[in-house]
């Protein structure tokens, strides 16, 4: 094992076992069911001056961020 604290022998484990592939599939299905849509954009009220200058330069060059 790569971890020094984890033991390769887990036969004594009495807790629930988690299959990551199954969990990922259930999570993807649940997210599709909820359909939260696009999250709101950051208002940008706490941006640093350097970040504001960068975004302004991008906008002035014709780009979008």
């Amino acid at each position: 094992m790569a971890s020094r604290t984890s033991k390769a022998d887990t036969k004594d484990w009495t807790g629930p076992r988690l299959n990551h592939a199954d969990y990922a599939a259930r999570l993807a299905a649940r997210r599709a069911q909820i359909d939260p849509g696009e999250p709101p954009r950051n208002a940008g009220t706490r941006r640093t001056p350097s970040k504001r200058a960068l975004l302004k330069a991008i906008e002035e060059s014709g780009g979008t961020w």
Side-chain angles (χ1 to χ4, degrees):
M1 302 252 1
S3 173
R4 288 182 272 163
T5 58
S6 295
K7 305 293 184 225
D9 184 21
T10 58
K11 65 183 176 212
D12 294 333
W13 174 254
T14 59
R17 298 196 183 265
L18 179 68
N19 181 311
H20 290 280
D22 291 341
Y23 177 75
R26 287 195 319 261
L27 180 61
R30 179 70 176 143
R31 286 182 175 166
Q33 182 183 19
I34 293 172
D35 187 29
E38 286 293 317
R41 290 191 64 154
N42 185 337
T45 57
R46 296 179 50 164
R47 289 194 175 125
T48 62
S50 61
K51 178 70 174 210
R52 291 177 196 266
L54 174 65
L55 295 176
K56 183 178 177 187
I58 291 171
E59 190 174 302
E60 287 174 352
S61 69
T64 57
W65 50 274

